[in-house]
Amino acid sequence: MKAVVYEKYGFPDILELKELPRPEPGSDQVLIKVLAASVNKADWHLLTGDPFPVRLMAGLTKPKNKVLGADVVGVVERIGSNVTQFKIGDEVYGDLSGTGFGAFAEYALTNENQLAQKPSNLTYEQTAALPMAAITALQGLRDKGKIREDDEVLINGASGGVGGFAIQVAKAFGAQVTAVCSTDKMCAASEQGADLVIDYKRVDFIKGDKQYDLVFDVIGNHGISDLSKILKPKGRYVTCAFSMSLALLGPWYKVRQGKQFINLMASNSSSDLKTIARLAEEGCITPRIQRVYTLDDVPEALQYMANGGMEGKLVVTI
Ligand SMILES: NC(=O)c1ccc[n+]([C@@H]2O[C@H](COP(=O)([O-])OP(=O)(O)OC[C@H]3O[C@@H](n4cnc5c(N)ncnc54)[C@H](OP(=O)(O)O)[C@@H]3O)[C@@H](O)[C@H]2O)c1
């Protein structure tokens, strides 16, 4: 099978399109014929081995797994003897980050608990845009942020992969959403359902008097004392941009002010994939695709993402 392979840490120019043996599923595994994948920051961290703690899991001096790609959609090609949820020919989607990545290839392996049936109303490309980014938004808002109907929610970094889904998920929960993004992406944020949009290039949301029940932050560019001022009493702040000061000072703010500061580490699950598929089928979530690439162009896609200024997701068709 064709796969985009890397043997050492580096930048996109070290990626090579190679022939690899097609993997065989173990007893709990599903072999997927990949139809589309998408690009995430996690792929970049694994490619570069940066930040360094990534290497503690991915391989100290060189990567243990040679093929990147977490988000996957495809058709079940073969199943292991213990697999009960899927049969050959099922259209499935999921996130391979918990089982060694590998979506930038013609075939990929994972466990059945990392997959769900593809949403019936979306294309393969749209479906590939969903898993990691939409699950991060869902877990950040619902599980960590305890979002409730009519909550006033601010989403910082609302124009990228995670932020775009966060607007849509928050609206699906009946929240009032303020989106923070750059000038040229304000329309896109409104189209995705934001009730109010703040242009961060002109206004610093931290300086206003407005307070929120919940702040979901994809960027993490403000300090905890500033953030506490824009939270209502018992307000929640959740970030997917890990912050050490939050981890250290968050408990103190909880005791003193009753406000919660939470670092999110999202993880894939079959049940959350099913929830996302249901939200897509109900029309609550529509992925926004910025560009579509082929397998040969994966290095270009990764570089494009790393350059910044994303407006939705980059998808790879196989
Ligand atoms: N913890 C977890 O489990 C988890 C899971 C998934 C992702 N993540 C992390 O979440 C972050 C975002 O991921 P993503 O896929 O959404 O990235 P992305 O697609 O690159 O989106 C980032 C967005 O933020 C905007 N932006 C940049 N600077 C900003 C600022 N100062 N204020 C407001 N918006 C700004 C960018 O557009 P402009 O530059 O045009 O403004 C871009 O649209 C990454 O750091 C990723 O590693 C964490």
Side-chain angles (χ1 to χ4, degrees):
M1 66 166 188
K2 287 195 178 63
V4 180
V5 175
Y6 77 130
E7 310 272 355
K8 58 183 180 184
Y9 294 118
F11 291 97
D13 59 347
I14 62 164
L15 292 165
E16 288 180 276
L17 191 62
K18 282 190 173 174
E19 278 294 329
L20 293 183
R22 195 182 83 169
E24 289 302 318
S27 51
D28 296 320
Q29 288 183 309
V30 174
L31 178 69
I32 304 160
K33 181 172 171 33
V34 182
L35 298 174
S38 89
V39 172
N40 288 287
K41 285 277 162 62
D43 296 308
W44 182 262
H45 295 313
L46 283 182
L47 172 66
T48 57
D50 183 36
F52 188 79
V54 164
R55 299 189 187 208
L56 299 178
M57 278 161 53
L60 214 49
T61 55
K62 60 179 184 173
K64 285 189 236 167
N65 298 311
K66 311 279 182 237
V67 183
L68 297 168
D71 292 335
V72 70
V73 58
V75 177
V76 174
E77 179 81 9
R78 295 195 59 188
I79 54 172
S81 55
N82 295 338
V83 171
T84 56
Q85 305 295 311
F86 302 103
K87 59 184 188 316
I88 292 169
D90 280 355
E91 293 189 326
V92 293
Y93 85 119
D95 171 354
L96 311 183
S97 60
T99 55
F101 288 70
F104 300 152
E106 289 178 316
Y107 294 90
L109 276 181
T110 192
N111 298 337
E112 65 174 333
N113 63 5
Q114 303 295 301
L115 296 170
Q117 301 285 351
K118 169 191 166 292
S120 54
N121 60 330
L122 298 186
T123 64
Y124 297 121
E125 287 79 8
Q126 286 175 312
T127 305
L130 284 171
M132 187 180 279
I135 281 185
T136 302
L138 180 69
Q139 293 180 356
L141 293 164
R142 181 198 61 189
D143 303 343
K144 301 292 184 191
K146 308 285 181 216
I147 191 168
R148 289 182 292 251
E149 197 174 352
D150 295 329
D151 268 358
E152 293 189 283
V153 177
L154 180 130
I155 295 162
N156 186 32
S159 51
V162 176
F165 288 124
I167 297 175
Q168 298 181 61
V169 169
K171 289 307 297 177
F173 277 87
Q176 296 296 311
V177 176
T178 299
V180 181
C181 60
S182 55
T183 323
D184 53 341
K185 295 173 184 140
M186 294 175 75
C187 287
S190 299
E191 280 166 22
Q192 288 175 99
D195 300 286
L196 198 76
V197 185
I198 295 176
D199 175 0
Y200 77 82
K201 301 217 162 166
R202 294 192 308 157
V203 177
D204 188 350
F205 67 84
I206 219 85
K207 297 209 168 117
D209 295 330
K210 176 82 192 150
Q211 290 189 314
Y212 301 90
D213 298 287
L214 172 60
V215 173
F216 181 63
D217 193 352
V218 171
I219 308 297
N221 56 339
H222 293 89
I224 190 165
S225 70
D226 283 340
L227 290 164
S228 75
K229 291 180 197 146
I230 63 156
L231 286 181
K232 292 182 188 178
K234 298 197 178 163
R236 290 91 63 203
Y237 171 88
V238 179
T239 183
C240 60
F242 181 81
S243 156
M244 185 54 81
S245 65
L246 210 70
L248 295 172
L249 297 173
W252 189 83
Y253 275 84
K254 173 100 193 286
V255 171
R256 291 296 300 260
Q257 299 185 357
K259 299 176 181 178
Q260 288 194 57
F261 291 86
I262 301 164
N263 278 308
L264 167 70
M265 188 51 71
S267 61
N268 181 43
S269 77
S270 179
S271 75
D272 282 352
L273 288 166
K274 284 180 192 160
T275 302
I276 295 293
R278 179 179 53 76
L279 288 172
E281 286 165 353
E282 288 171 355
C284 299
I285 291 182
T286 307
R288 200 173 183 91
I289 296 173
Q290 189 170 358
R291 289 185 177 199
V292 179
Y293 295 85
T294 63
L295 209 48
D296 302 86
D297 299 328
V298 164
E300 190 186 327
L302 285 162
Q303 190 58 60
Y304 188 89
M305 176 187 62
N307 292 345
M310 295 283 290
E311 188 181 339
K313 294 287 297 175
L314 305 179
V315 168
V316 179
T317 55
I318 306 321

